[in-house]
Amino acid sequence: RHFIKECARLNSILPMVNLLSNANIARDIKTHTGVDIPAYTRIHCSLSDANHDPNEFTLPEEFNPRRSAEEMRKIMTWNGAE
């Protein structure tokens, strides 16, 4: 399971996704970035950038299927499913 998620983290099928925010997403964005967006705002998200963020992943350019459970929870996939 971690092997597949780590493969998806390093080589995203889709480099960018678009989504429509809801109240929970808007709150999370405010919490993590300080940016206040209204609910139901269209958001463009770079999965490649998010999954290679050195602030979120230890050695983000290295393949490591033994990443901590905390890091594995941060991996973003194209549909959010595992």
Side-chain angles (χ1 to χ4, degrees):
R1 185 176 188 180
H2 287 184
F3 180 87
I4 303 277
K5 284 186 79 170
E6 184 67 356
C7 288
R9 185 189 71 78
L10 278 178
N11 299 300
S12 298
I13 294 169
L14 298 172
M16 298 277 296
V17 294
N18 300 312
L19 59 102
L20 191 61
S21 73
N22 59 29
N24 292 334
I25 292 171
R27 184 186 63 246
D28 287 349
I29 290 171
K30 175 74 171 180
T31 299
H32 293 290
T33 68
V35 176
D36 195 12
I37 65 163
Y40 309 107
T41 299
R42 185 155 303 279
I43 299 171
H44 305 282
C45 177
S46 169
L47 296 180
S48 296
D49 287 346
N51 286 329
H52 290 86
D53 185 346
N55 296 315
E56 299 296 331
F57 297 97
T58 305
L59 302 172
E61 298 304 321
E62 288 187 14
F63 178 77
N64 180 7
R66 290 180 172 36
R67 290 186 183 278
S68 69
E70 178 184 348
E71 282 191 329
M72 291 309 242
R73 282 191 296 274
K74 294 177 183 177
I75 294 173
M76 296 177 67
T77 56
W78 71 274
N79 67 349
E82 296 182 19

